[in-house]
Amino acid sequence: MDNSPLQVVTVPTAPYPDQRPGTSGLRKRVFVFQSRRNYLHNFIQSIFSSIDLRDRQGSTVVVGGDGRFFNQTAIEVIVQMAAANGVGRLIIGHHGIMSTPAISCVIRKYKAIGGIILTASHNPGGPDGDFGIKFNTVNGGPAKEAVTNKIFQISRTIEEFAICPGLRVDLTTLGKQMFDLENKFKPFTVEIVDSVESYANLLRNIFDFAALKELLSGENHIKIRLDAMHGVVGPYVRRILCEELGCPANSAINCIPMEDFGGQHPDPNLTYAADLVDSMRDGQHDFGAAFDGDGDRNMILGKHGFFVTPSDSVAVIADNIFCIPYFQHTGVRGFARSMPTSAALDRVAKATKIELYETPTGWKFFGNLMDAGRLSLCGEESFGTGGDHIREKDGLWAVLAWLSILASRRQSVEDILKDHWLKYGRNYFTRYDYENVDIDAACEMMEDLEFMISDKSFVKQRFAVEDKIYQVEKADNFEYTDPVDSTISRNQGLRIIFSDGSRIIYRLSGTGSDGATVRIYIDSYEREHIFEDTQVILAPLATIALKISQLHHRTGRSGPSVIT
């Protein structure tokens, strides 16, 4: 056996112009990573080169992914390149799998300089699906724009990358593996860790596990159904909910992570989690939830498939926040929501006199507020909810938060929601997604729309649909000044706000790998008519939204891909 030090080599390469990380990192079709020479290597080198060499040398970096196709291939390259770039230790999830919330937890626990997350979140997997790479920084949260811009600039001029091609790691065996490299004073260490344990321990210190166990397996226990959608959360659900909190094993479905998510779209909404919705309809289960591929998103359902919008979910958690022991100890520093998310949370914040922040889409904005001690609970309408225990949205945390409320109030999900609406009124909310739209047509439509709403004459315009009249009070392209560091984020979404508080919002999403996704968000507040059908209530605003944008005509699309 050859025990000589492993060779580090420098390989010439040429840059690619399309490696700009979006709000959730770099996402492309798998075949892009497979077919373009050094495409993966270039981006990984750009990440490492964005970190000052003095900070990199001897540092700890966390690596894990959602188990999708190309995950293990990418990890092998990352290990070889981390060693060659001066990283001292890698902490990798068992079999290369670790949920995004768990990676945030582990970065913070081990004081790593960052983490590389291999996921395309809720996008489809498999050889014909998507792959993604996201870089989280020392706080455990997504890299800020200054960092992602630096990575992108490096990727545009890269000429070479460093790699240790002979280094091989065993991802199947827990424990430390040590490697001697040329020109290294200390061995390079790879530590394969239990993907669940550190994160589970964090949750034990947040929630009352004894009360949750009584709710889920005690004498008068409720029946729940959790759908991991063959994503990374399966092992977490089995270990924490089934083994520790006593749920029957058949409470958890689709819990084996698969490279193609079982051929399904791992997005926890009413369209893609239809099997869960159908299984809840007969009333056998009191509570249901689904998770996305990497475990940061969640969907909450009550008995008979009663749907809780993400906007309502975070508002209900806020109103019942002291059902969670963690907040009894820390207090509540602030609430926040992304701009497109309905204003339901604002009403709780106003009633409780707790500061409310409205941020652009992207968890990094929440992380900045949390690091400054200004924020405790936040949410996005795209099925993301979280607290300040980590710096990512957290699907399993949200489920345990809801179960804590159920344990405390001993009411059904539907009754809790209805009580909430009686107390605060109801924000009816929906989102229409037009996926894989021609990007030039989408950009032209958005530019024309912004030109229209920026005209002074647009304010005070009245739009009539049937017996409803809406008058424009404000229209703009949302701009955010961070209260912590005063950085300004512009062009975050076109807003039309009406005099009754209703809103129409248009955004181009950057989380897809093909074409553009145009999202239209519609939010309407009702104090009296709180038990109506959402799509019926919002139909007049939807008509106005399509009329103003001429979306169907401009994009050639007759209807949305997904309605949530």
Side-chain angles (χ1 to χ4, degrees):
M1 184 175 175
D2 185 5
N3 290 320
S4 59
L6 295 165
Q7 185 182 18
V8 174
V9 299
T10 302
V11 180
T13 192
Y16 291 95
D18 64 343
Q19 293 195 327
R20 180 187 291 278
T23 54
S24 299
L26 179 71
R27 289 186 187 171
K28 301 288 180 184
R29 291 290 193 188
V30 168
F31 75 79
V32 173
F33 288 94
Q34 289 179 319
S35 62
R36 296 187 187 175
R37 183 176 175 81
N38 299 331
Y39 194 84
L40 172 67
H41 299 72
N42 281 18
F43 191 70
I44 298 301
Q45 184 62 59
S46 299
I47 292 174
F48 287 132
S49 296
S50 73
I51 306 166
D52 189 278
L53 182 59
R54 289 168 296 183
D55 296 326
R56 217 162 63 217
Q57 286 184 322
S59 66
T60 297
V61 173
V62 181
V63 180
D66 59 18
R68 66 178 57 232
F69 185 82
F70 201 67
N71 193 75
Q72 296 212 0
T73 302
I75 287 178
E76 183 172 282
V77 170
I78 291 166
V79 171
Q80 293 171 348
M81 293 185 67
N85 276 276
V87 173
R89 175 171 69 153
L90 286 184
I91 297 175
I92 306 178
H94 197 203
H95 300 289
I97 289 177
M98 197 184 300
S99 76
T100 292
I103 290 174
S104 183
C105 164
V106 172
I107 290 170
R108 295 168 68 81
K109 176 181 177 179
Y110 289 96
K111 297 180 172 54
I113 61 164
I116 298 175
I117 307 177
L118 304 172
T119 178
S121 186
H122 54 294
N123 292 11
D128 298 322
D130 294 348
F131 188 74
I133 306 167
K134 187 170 79 159
F135 180 58
N136 281 25
T137 50
V138 66
N139 74 339
K144 295 180 184 178
E145 204 164 321
V147 176
T148 55
N149 283 342
K150 187 176 181 181
I151 292 169
F152 178 53
Q153 292 306 322
I154 293 168
S155 77
R156 294 177 66 189
T157 57
I158 189 169
E159 295 180 345
E160 61 185 25
F161 60 84
I163 192 165
C164 182
L167 200 159
R168 296 286 183 272
V169 169
D170 176 9
L171 297 176
T172 66
T173 305
L174 294 172
K176 292 182 180 178
Q177 301 167 44
M178 305 182 83
F179 305 88
D180 287 320
L181 276 62
E182 286 180 338
N183 306 323
K184 293 276 180 165
F185 296 107
K186 293 180 180 178
F188 171 67
T189 303
V190 175
E191 188 171 349
I192 309 300
V193 299
D194 182 320
S195 305
V196 179
E197 189 49 40
S198 291
Y199 172 75
N201 196 49
L202 177 65
L203 295 184
R204 291 182 194 108
N205 291 317
I206 293 172
F207 300 102
D208 182 344
F209 269 36
L212 291 174
K213 187 168 186 176
E214 179 64 26
L215 174 76
L216 298 172
S217 56
E219 188 175 347
N220 296 309
H221 67 274
I222 66 170
K223 289 186 71 175
I224 71 172
R225 192 164 182 84
L226 304 177
D227 189 346
M229 300 187 81
H230 290 300
V232 74
V233 176
Y236 295 79
V237 167
R238 281 183 165 171
R239 179 90 64 86
I240 296 168
L241 273 297
C242 298
E243 294 176 21
E244 189 155 350
L245 297 178
C247 285
N250 62 6
S251 300
I253 60 173
N254 300 324
C255 282
I256 298 173
M258 293 186 178
E259 290 189 335
D260 65 348
F261 306 109
Q264 302 302 308
H265 195 140
D267 196 351
N269 59 44
L270 294 172
T271 299
Y272 295 123
D275 287 350
L276 175 67
V277 177
D278 290 342
S279 70
M280 293 289 295
R281 285 207 172 107
D282 63 8
Q284 286 188 47
H285 300 92
D286 304 290
F287 177 89
F291 308 93
D292 72 335
D294 68 323
D296 58 358
R297 298 179 186 224
N298 73 96
M299 177 177 70
I300 303 296
L301 298 173
K303 202 165 193 169
H304 303 294
F306 181 85
F307 173 59
V308 181
T309 70
S311 301
D312 276 340
S313 180
V314 68
V316 168
I317 294 171
D319 195 42
N320 296 275
I321 198 162
F322 294 115
C323 293
I324 302 169
Y326 174 87
F327 294 111
Q328 296 170 16
H329 301 309
T330 65
V332 181
R333 302 179 181 93
F335 297 138
R337 62 169 174 82
S338 64
M339 180 273 289
T341 302
S342 94
L345 181 62
D346 305 37
R347 307 188 193 286
V348 179
K350 184 178 180 181
T352 54
K353 296 182 169 58
I354 292 171
E355 187 78 23
L356 186 282
Y357 300 92
E358 183 181 33
T359 73
T361 296
W363 217 258
K364 60 192 173 190
F365 298 103
F366 296 145
N368 222 28
L369 293 166
M370 289 174 181
D371 289 345
R374 296 190 182 201
L375 178 60
S376 297
L377 173 71
C378 53
E380 290 184 339
E381 52 69 39
S382 54
F383 295 85
T385 319
D388 62 352
H389 60 298
I390 55 171
R391 296 296 180 266
E392 286 279 6
K393 49 184 172 270
D394 190 342
L396 198 50
W397 178 94
V399 165
L400 292 181
W402 262 96
L403 292 174
S404 298
I405 295 167
L406 294 179
S408 176
R409 293 185 51 165
R410 284 290 173 176
Q411 287 178 280
S412 70
V413 171
E414 184 172 352
D415 285 345
I416 289 170
L417 251 295
K418 288 182 174 177
D419 283 354
H420 187 87
W421 295 334
L422 286 167
K423 182 177 178 181
Y424 291 107
R426 180 177 178 184
N427 278 82
Y428 286 91
F429 179 84
T430 195
R431 185 182 93 191
Y432 299 99
D433 289 0
Y434 293 79
E435 298 173 322
N436 298 324
V437 171
D438 178 79
I439 194 160
D440 292 332
C443 289
E444 187 178 338
M445 183 198 78
M446 293 293 285
E447 287 169 8
D448 290 348
L449 188 54
E450 182 173 8
F451 181 77
M452 178 200 300
I453 70 171
S454 299
D455 192 299
K456 289 181 180 178
S457 66
F458 188 75
V459 175
K460 303 298 183 188
Q461 272 197 41
R462 291 155 67 91
F463 295 89
V465 180
E466 297 171 356
D467 60 340
K468 299 277 287 186
I469 297 175
Y470 297 89
Q471 183 168 355
V472 178
E473 187 169 279
K474 181 180 180 181
D476 64 8
N477 193 334
F478 181 61
E479 182 175 296
Y480 175 70
T481 301
D482 195 301
V484 178
D485 58 22
S486 299
T487 55
I488 299 173
S489 300
R490 297 184 172 89
N491 303 314
Q492 295 298 313
L494 303 180
R495 301 190 297 176
I496 300 171
I497 303 171
F498 298 97
S499 55
D500 68 346
S502 300
R503 302 183 307 156
I504 297 172
I505 293 153
Y506 303 87
R507 283 185 67 247
L508 277 182
S509 172
T511 59
S513 61
D514 273 348
T517 297
V518 179
R519 303 196 198 279
I520 301 178
Y521 311 80
I522 300 174
D523 178 18
S524 181
Y525 178 67
E526 291 280 349
R527 193 69 191 88
E528 304 297 330
H529 306 287
I530 57 174
F531 300 128
E532 307 298 327
D533 180 88
T534 296
Q535 297 301 330
V536 170
I537 288 285
L538 297 180
L541 283 166
T543 300
I544 294 168
L546 292 172
K547 179 181 178 181
I548 291 172
S549 64
Q550 295 184 297
L551 187 145
H552 290 170
H553 171 70
R554 300 291 296 268
T555 65
R557 299 291 289 274
S558 60
S561 318
V562 181
I563 301 173
T564 53

